[in-house]
Amino acid sequence: MEKSLIKATNLIKNYYTDEVETKVLRGVSFEIKEGEFAAIMGPSGSGKSTLMHIVGFLDRATSGTYEFEGKNVAEFSDDELAVLRNKEVGFIFQTFNLLPRTSVLENVKLPLIYSGMSAKKMDERAKQAVKAVDLDHRLNYLSNQLSGGEKQRVAIARALVNEPKLIFADEPTGNLDSKSGTQIMEILEKLNDEGKTIILVTHEKDTAEHAKRIIWLRDGQIVSDQIVSHRHLVKDGELRK
């Protein structure tokens, strides 16, 4: 039986601006097991990004309980959360967040800088991650010499380099044409097949249906949580259902 990786119970998040309270998450509860591929969907303002920030150790809930591998995250200091975030979570963003005029290899090595690894070991690990996204032929290219799809593959390699337990993909196809987007979803499917736990945040139903499960958010609450019966899968570069 798969082990529980994430368990959120009655998460509430409120923001305060000039003493005005904005309720963003209103009692969100769900569980993600190791090896799952889940999509979080919802319209703009539904609380998707806030939930991702909390689950990815970038923010804290106002109340409720968030357990990661059975440990209550509220008990961790900010420094401990930073270590968890760097070691256990890989982030893939819509805007790639690569350093311009910096090589593919150097971009992918970034999360390893404070790892205490030797330079040789860092190079080996980064090259392995680049190879995993089929981009070894671009290893020494600068990031501003790459296409959008290639930039996103570099971002995936960077997310993989620390061998995290969890990968967050936040609108990973949002800035890409359909062909490049399909290639990115193919890589995510492959990583999940290899055992990686993936949480995909998207507002696009077609993209969400690459996952095995869709959690729908609306107005800060989960309105449905269902297994995907007709998955969009990529086979040999083509979409299949």
Side-chain angles (χ1 to χ4, degrees):
M1 190 173 154
E2 300 101 334
K3 209 166 70 173
S4 176
L5 188 63
I6 285 170
K7 189 175 182 186
T9 309
N10 199 29
L11 289 185
I12 288 171
K13 181 66 179 179
N14 302 328
Y15 289 106
Y16 299 89
T17 316
D18 298 330
E19 297 180 11
V20 176
E21 182 184 62
T22 304
K23 296 181 177 182
V24 184
L25 296 180
R26 303 163 181 256
V28 171
S29 300
F30 66 98
E31 191 170 352
I32 303 275
K33 296 196 182 299
E34 281 187 354
E36 275 206 74
F37 188 172
I40 297 174
M41 279 200 76
S44 185
S46 60
K48 298 191 302 292
S49 295
T50 299
L51 181 58
M52 190 189 83
H53 287 156
I54 291 170
V55 176
F57 313 117
L58 292 162
D59 198 0
R60 294 179 186 264
T62 304
S63 65
T65 310
Y66 169 31
E67 293 173 60
F68 185 82
E69 293 191 305
K71 297 177 186 131
N72 187 345
V73 171
E75 294 170 5
F76 290 107
S77 69
D78 288 349
D79 286 347
E80 287 170 326
L81 280 189
V83 171
L84 260 182
R85 188 167 61 238
N86 193 45
K87 282 192 165 178
E88 308 289 10
V89 185
F91 290 95
I92 304 161
F93 297 100
Q94 178 177 350
T95 49
F96 320 130
N97 290 9
L98 302 181
L99 292 178
R101 296 181 296 284
T102 306
S103 74
V104 167
L105 183 65
E106 294 301 319
N107 266 290
V108 173
K109 270 164 56 175
L110 274 177
L112 300 174
I113 286 171
Y114 301 109
S115 67
M117 276 183 201
S118 67
K120 183 170 181 257
K121 179 73 176 166
M122 282 198 290
D123 272 2
E124 282 172 9
R125 184 77 79 81
K127 285 174 182 174
Q128 197 179 346
V130 172
K131 190 175 181 186
V133 296
D134 298 322
L135 217 57
D136 18 2
H137 60 294
R138 294 278 194 263
L139 200 63
N140 297 310
Y141 275 59
L142 303 183
S143 61
N144 55 354
Q145 294 175 309
L146 303 176
S147 68
E150 287 171 337
K151 285 178 182 173
Q152 194 59 292
R153 282 198 262 167
V154 175
I156 293 173
R158 184 184 56 197
L160 289 174
V161 78
N162 261 335
E163 298 177 352
K165 291 202 171 76
L166 176 64
I167 294 173
F168 276 109
D170 186 10
E171 302 282 5
T173 61
N175 279 344
L176 304 177
D177 59 52
S178 58
K179 186 183 175 191
S180 299
T182 297
Q183 288 169 342
I184 294 306
M185 295 316 299
E186 183 177 19
I187 291 169
L188 293 180
E189 284 170 18
K190 180 169 161 260
L191 292 171
N192 179 243
D193 289 342
E194 290 167 0
K196 290 286 182 197
T197 308
I198 297 174
I199 297 180
L200 170 70
V201 178
T202 183
H203 66 278
E204 294 173 347
K205 193 162 185 287
D206 282 357
T207 302
E209 285 175 347
H210 286 268
K212 295 174 180 172
R213 169 185 174 195
I214 298 178
I215 299 167
W216 273 90
L217 275 185
R218 185 172 291 122
D219 299 327
Q221 294 179 309
I222 292 177
V223 291
S224 81
D225 183 347
Q226 295 179 327
I227 301 299
V228 179
S229 53
H230 298 288
R231 286 182 74 199
H232 279 287
L233 293 169
V234 185
K235 176 81 170 169
D236 301 326
E238 297 294 327
L239 273 177
R240 60 190 167 90
K241 286 189 81 168

